[in-house]
Amino acid sequence: MTCLKPEGIQPAKAGIGELDYNEFSRMQPREPGATPAAARNGGPVKANDVAPDGLYWPKYNIMTPNMRSPDYVQMSTAAAITLGLVPGKMHRCGCTRCLNLLLTYPEGCRANCAYCGLARHREAERDYADRNFIRVDWPAVPMEEVVDIVARDGEASPFHRMCISMITHPNSDEDTVTVLKRWTDRIDPSAIPISILSNPTTMTRGDVARLHDMGSDIFTVALDAATPEIFDRTRGKGVQSPHNWKKYWEILLDAKDIFGSRKFGAHIIVGMGETEWEVLNLVQEIVDLGGHSHMFCFFPEKGSLMDHLPATPRDQWRRVQLARYLIDYCDVRADHMRFDEAGRVIDFGIPSAELDAVIDSGIAFRTSGCPGKFAEDISACDRPYGDSPPSDIASYPFALKDVDIRKVRSQLSMDRPGERYEPGDEFDLFDD
Ligand code: SF4
């Protein structure tokens, strides 16, 4: 698609007495509390030292086994269902296309990101392997069992991609290498490409190169915050967390050099206090470097330091989703777009017929992430309901139907004449 010149659209309207975006002053995380010494660093799990015995489903009423990567990894509930390890059904999704593997240790992640369910400040409340993350439980499974199942399924595997999610832990760099080796020893990385969701804080350029040389396809950096101020407030000094914006960018630029164009990217959470102008200029910066942005809609994760704050209003989220898609895949630039005094998009920078075509294809509103085998702009990483409940979907983990497009159009205040969405129109699809 060639996206040429701007044509005006009306900005989405705020609800009565409400902003239609999450502004900076409102999105202040709570202060982390003090953790009793005995609860720190996985103390109870290590003291009880319960031997693991295969799959562990997060339970809060029994002692968590002492599980540790690289022998154990955690995976999303969606991945466990897809692998057939647990029973379950996902609303309007047959399976997930990305096997997300998360490193696990009794000590957990040593960082303290304010929006994250895995953060260190939860030590006293819940053992690491029991913590919710992007709204769901993450069962722990022996790595050997995971590889056995995927290798056995061969070409019939539903997965289009595997992703290793590092966390902030002293062993994370080395264990990522071991997990990767155990995978590539049995599974051809050209059959199921591999992504690395990195932890820049503990990494060097040499680590990035090593992961590339071992067969990883895409390297991503979870900037998460769209500005240095929000980064510092949510995952740096503001919450006694070790991360640093400069270091994250250093590793992102290393990934650009080592992995190359379209093989690196950044995760960004929308709605933590940045303006639409700020986040879309960041998206543009990453595209200009040759990378992609993977967007997440802020959701107040239960137990996190931001669980008292509002989820991103859908109009803000849809504007950013749409604009990000145009920048990432349609050669539209952020500087072709127009913004109001609050930084909201008021003009997407392309003729309305082209904009309509993009909206109606629905791809812009699907979960964004590393591509799978369907198309370059369709993410394998579909993260079902990782940033919203099924009743109010932010990132669609499936292809949108007409009713979904009508709903999105209504959230953008861009209904087609005579095709208005009425709340609940999609509820007929709840038993699909
Ligand atoms: S580094 Fe990642 S896993 Fe750890 S607290 Fe921050 S967002 Fe969560």
Side-chain angles (χ1 to χ4, degrees), residues 109 111-113 115-116 118-119 133 167-168 199 224 235 243 248:
C109 184
N112 219 13
C113 306
Y115 46 84
C116 181
L118 300 178
F133 178 45
I167 58 171
T168 310
N199 166 43
D224 290 354
R235 52 188 332 208
H243 301 317
Y248 268 58

Side-chain angles (χ1 to χ4, degrees), residues 134-384:
I134 57 168
R135 300 189 66 255
V136 295
D137 284 332
W138 285 64
V141 185
M143 182 62 195
E144 201 181 344
E145 192 176 341
V146 177
V147 173
D148 278 348
I149 298 172
V150 180
R152 184 195 66 208
D153 289 350
E155 287 186 2
S157 174
F159 294 113
H160 289 194
R161 185 167 287 276
M162 184 276 274
C163 175
I164 306 176
S165 303
M166 304 174 75
I167 58 171
T168 310
H169 186 280
N171 299 353
S172 173
D173 298 335
E174 210 47 50
D175 291 339
T176 299
V177 167
T178 310
V179 165
L180 182 56
K181 171 103 178 57
R182 289 185 188 176
W183 178 275
T184 52
D185 279 350
R186 306 265 311 276
I187 297 156
D188 180 355
S190 64
I192 301 181
I194 299 161
S195 293
I196 304 289
L197 173 53
S198 64
N199 166 43
T201 296
T202 61
M203 295 182 85
T204 63
R205 186 178 173 97
D207 294 323
V208 180
R210 192 174 176 196
L211 294 168
H212 178 258
D213 294 347
M214 289 179 67
S216 311
D217 175 50
I218 293 181
F219 187 98
T220 59
V221 169
L223 280 177
D224 290 354
T227 70
E229 294 73 28
I230 297 172
F231 187 101
D232 206 47
R233 168 158 100 168
T234 58
R235 52 188 332 208
K237 288 195 281 299
V239 281
Q240 298 151 33
S241 192
H243 301 317
N244 175 287
W245 174 262
K246 196 164 155 273
K247 173 71 183 175
Y248 268 58
W249 269 94
E250 215 175 280
I251 294 292
L252 185 63
L253 295 175
D254 288 338
K256 163 193 168 295
D257 294 345
I258 293 164
F259 279 74
S261 190
R262 287 194 281 279
K263 295 292 182 184
F264 72 97
H267 288 200
I268 308 168
I269 302 176
V270 174
M272 294 209 298
E274 77 292 339
T275 65
E276 292 167 33
W277 183 85
E278 285 169 330
V279 70
L280 292 170
N281 274 280
L282 174 61
V283 169
Q284 184 67 63
E285 192 175 351
I286 292 163
V287 165
D288 288 346
L289 289 168
H292 281 310
S293 300
H294 305 165
M295 310 296 259
F296 297 68
C297 182
F298 172 73
F299 185 86
E301 181 86 24
K302 202 164 170 230
S304 75
L305 296 172
M306 295 176 80
D307 64 3
H308 58 300
L309 295 172
T312 311
R314 285 296 173 267
D315 33 14
Q316 176 186 6
W317 169 241
R318 296 294 175 218
R319 288 190 294 271
V320 174
Q321 260 188 317
L322 178 54
R324 167 261 166 194
Y325 182 83
L326 294 171
I327 297 169
D328 266 16
Y329 297 106
C330 301
D331 294 331
V332 182
R333 295 190 57 82
D335 39 286
H336 293 164
M337 300 178 181
R338 288 196 297 121
F339 300 84
D340 68 10
E341 70 291 343
R344 290 173 293 195
V345 182
I346 53 169
D347 184 324
F348 288 91
I350 58 169
S352 54
E354 290 186 25
L355 190 62
D356 277 340
V358 172
I359 294 171
D360 291 341
S361 85
I363 298 174
F365 309 105
R366 294 179 67 162
T367 310
S368 60
C370 299
K373 296 177 182 173
F374 294 131
E376 192 54 29
D377 58 352
I378 296 181
S379 173
C381 185
D382 38 26
R383 306 185 295 276

